[in-house]
Amino acid sequence: MSELAQNLTLPGALLAGLSPGVAAMLVMFASCAAVLGVVALNGMFLVWWERKISAHIQSRVGPMTTGYWHGWLQSIADGVKLLLKENIIPLMADRWLFMLAPLVVFMSAFMAFVPIPWGEKLIVADLNVGVLYIAAITSLSAIGVIMAGWASNNKWSLYGGMRAAAQIVSYEIPVGLALVPALLASSTLSMQGIVEVQAGGIWNWNIFAGGPFTIVAFGALFLASLAEVNRAPFDLPEAESELVCGFHTEYSGMCFAFFFLAEYSEMFVVAVVASVLYLGGWHDPLGLGILPGPVVLMAKVLLLVFVQMWFRWTFPRLRVDQLMYLAWKVLTPLGFINVFGAAFWLILV
Amino acid sequence: MSDNLALIFFVIAAAGVATFMMGTAVFLGPKRRHRVKDQPFACGGLAEPYPGEQFPVRYYLVAMLFILFDIEVVFLYFWGVIFRDLGFPGLYEILLFIGVLGAGLAYVWRRGALRWV
């Protein structure tokens, strides 16, 4: 945080006359507002984008009316609508848990933005355990989902919550194992440190550091993190055709909006983690360093998010047993092979 | 230290913003209660009484296996950071460690704990 205050030239000049404590507080407020803005804008943009992509994949046009140009105001209109809707709490629900669950899910998604490196000096807090922190904080959303499923006291919600628990917990292991080859290649847990190791062009990126093993690890990370954020084809916790809406069946208005916002933020966060660990973060593919860091990172992240959406509108949903088979009998052994293959490759080659 | 302060600040700010947004929505939205609307949604059927469903023991098994393997993965993180300094001796030791847990995975696989249906 203090590095941020010293290194950003414009705020640095503005803050020069203030005492260090006050300046640090101001920087914290500013970075918090910036992250909140990114979360909100990202949510609104991705919702609109997904509606357009799904429409074009299905030979439709998607939202076209609100805001005249391709319905670009649609998400804002939806946001206002959700804010003004009634917040229905079913009679038999556990009221406190019911209200707390969307807050937990939203906070876990929001907190994951803290150690994201946007550029050379542009980071809220360069935690020395950044990767571990993100893995820990994003898995907190499982607790919120289980709370939502339990507190609703509806059988569809409860099924969704239990499935979410089993799914998120199972896929935590392939995700964790798929992160390790990148750590082997960069010898640090700090997100900024991992990006710095990959400077100088596409051939220095971690995805090519361990030969075939890191390439496979990147693919495994992408697949398993789709399951972590409950995206199709792994969206069993909210499978519409079986469970109505799964864990958020009973939610309406703003509480529902929090779940939605958190889902799109989590999609963004897992794409950031994959980009930072394997695709060079804010370094461009040619190592020129002309484009600003945030632009390069956003390009990579949006590309991965686009593939996530493409998957959703292409592949049918898996069955529960297929989901568990993939996690425990395919991705987990594959993760072990990747870790040791990459380790031997890095020592010997 | 300042990084930890930033984290604490972010927790408080996130909780504050989220509570404020939810409070605003509750304040602005209509509050029209109705006997039917307040029932849990059950596709038109009658709602089940409090925890109406029993759950298969499989969920419990998965949770136990998760604890074992997730702790193992956390060990791998820290080995991964210092793996270049440790070199081959460290690699062999972690290979032994994973070998034991891999034998465990093979055992639960063979006993059918990973079979969902």
Side-chain angles (χ1 to χ4, degrees):
Chain A
M1 185 57 63
S2 55
E3 309 105 81
L4 191 76
Q6 287 154 14
N7 291 326
L8 288 179
T9 44
L10 183 66
L14 286 172
L15 299 169
L18 297 167
S19 70
V22 177
M25 277 305 282
L26 282 179
V27 172
M28 271 191 205
F29 271 112
S31 51
C32 203
V35 168
L36 203 64
V38 169
V39 170
L41 277 178
N42 167 65
M44 289 195 288
F45 172 70
L46 289 190
V47 169
W48 173 81
W49 205 34
E50 174 140 44
R51 291 178 70 169
K52 292 308 264 190
I53 289 172
S54 64
H56 284 278
I57 286 176
Q58 297 174 336
S59 301
R60 298 182 283 116
V61 288
M64 287 300 279
T65 315
T66 322
Y68 298 104
W69 185 79
H70 286 276
W72 69 280
L73 278 175
Q74 187 63 49
S75 298
I76 295 169
D78 285 347
V80 173
K81 181 195 76 178
L82 285 168
L83 191 67
L84 296 175
K85 283 191 88 170
E86 182 174 0
N87 185 30
I88 303 168
I89 304 177
L91 267 183
M92 289 190 283
D94 184 327
R95 297 180 70 86
W96 285 105
L97 270 186
F98 188 84
M99 294 291 278
L100 198 59
L103 293 186
V104 171
V105 174
F106 173 77
M107 276 179 68
S108 101
F110 181 80
M111 294 296 293
F113 279 78
V114 170
I116 293 177
W118 294 94
E120 205 177 347
K121 307 286 185 194
L122 216 54
I123 181 166
V124 176
D126 185 17
L127 305 175
N128 54 3
V129 289
V131 176
L132 188 65
Y133 168 83
I134 289 198
I137 210 90
T138 48
S139 56
L140 279 182
S141 73
I143 295 171
V145 168
I146 300 165
M147 276 164 73
W150 181 260
S152 303
N153 200 12
N154 173 332
K155 60 180 168 185
W156 308 123
S157 306
L158 191 54
Y159 274 131
M162 291 302 283
R163 278 191 188 179
Q167 172 176 336
I168 297 176
V169 141
S170 298
Y171 277 87
E172 197 96 314
I173 292 153
V175 167
L177 285 171
L179 298 178
V180 176
L183 303 179
L184 294 176
S186 21
S187 296
T188 173
L189 280 171
S190 139
M191 296 283 276
Q192 189 67 279
I194 291 172
V195 176
E196 276 158 11
V197 169
Q198 304 175 70
I202 191 167
W203 46 88
N204 286 340
W205 291 358
N206 278 342
I207 190 169
F208 300 120
F213 299 105
T214 37
I215 298 175
V216 175
F218 172 75
L221 175 65
F222 183 78
L223 265 188
S225 54
L226 270 185
E228 274 288 281
V229 299
N230 302 329
R231 289 284 298 180
F234 308 109
D235 59 342
L236 284 116
E238 45 178 282
E240 302 96 329
S241 48
E242 316 157 33
L243 299 181
V244 191
C245 263
F247 62 88
H248 57 60
T249 302
E250 294 292 350
Y251 283 89
S252 58
M254 207 59 209
C255 291
F256 170 75
F258 273 124
F259 281 118
F260 223 63
L261 196 60
E263 177 180 334
Y264 282 91
S265 304
E266 282 167 1
M267 280 168 72
F268 185 84
V269 167
V270 296
V272 166
V273 170
S275 315
V276 165
L277 263 67
Y278 284 105
L279 302 181
W282 43 264
H283 290 301
D284 57 280
L286 296 174
L288 300 172
I290 301 169
L291 287 167
V295 176
V296 178
L297 184 67
M298 275 310 275
K300 291 171 184 171
V301 167
L302 288 182
L303 183 72
L304 288 179
V305 168
F306 175 75
V307 179
Q308 291 178 352
M309 292 178 178
W310 190 4
F311 268 46
R312 172 168 175 187
W313 298 99
T314 306
F315 295 121
R317 184 179 301 127
L318 269 66
R319 284 200 317 262
V320 184
D321 60 315
Q322 292 168 333
L323 185 87
M324 290 301 173
Y325 182 91
L326 184 65
W328 287 98
K329 298 186 179 175
V330 180
L331 289 177
T332 303
L334 186 70
F336 286 136
I337 295 169
N338 279 332
V339 168
F340 290 106
F344 276 107
W345 189 285
L346 283 164
I347 288 192
L348 294 175
V349 180
Chain B
M1 185 56 215
S2 64
D3 283 348
N4 297 345
L5 270 180
L7 273 188
I8 294 167
F9 185 84
F10 261 69
V11 173
I12 296 167
V17 168
T19 317
F20 173 75
M21 277 161 76
M22 203 169 268
T24 316
V26 169
F27 178 74
L28 289 176
K31 284 165 261 317
R32 294 188 203 99
R33 308 202 62 166
H34 188 275
R35 194 167 47 83
V36 176
K37 190 167 77 179
D38 287 348
Q39 291 296 312
F41 183 78
C43 301
L46 288 173
E48 306 259 339
Y50 200 76
E53 301 291 328
Q54 289 185 327
F55 269 91
V57 72
R58 294 187 293 247
Y59 286 104
Y60 164 75
L61 260 179
V62 165
M64 272 191 13
L65 292 176
F66 159 73
I67 291 173
L68 289 177
F69 284 93
D70 208 42
I71 291 173
E72 165 198 30
V73 170
V74 171
F75 278 131
L76 282 182
Y77 280 13
F78 298 105
W79 162 70
V81 173
I82 51 169
F83 128 93
R84 280 180 203 272
D85 302 332
L86 294 178
F88 273 113
L91 190 54
Y92 294 141
E93 279 173 26
I94 206 83
L95 206 55
L96 185 69
F97 171 66
I98 298 297
V100 173
L101 278 148
L105 181 67
Y107 174 74
V108 291
W109 189 331
R110 191 137 171 80
R111 288 301 298 266
L114 303 180
R115 204 168 45 225
W116 194 258
V117 179

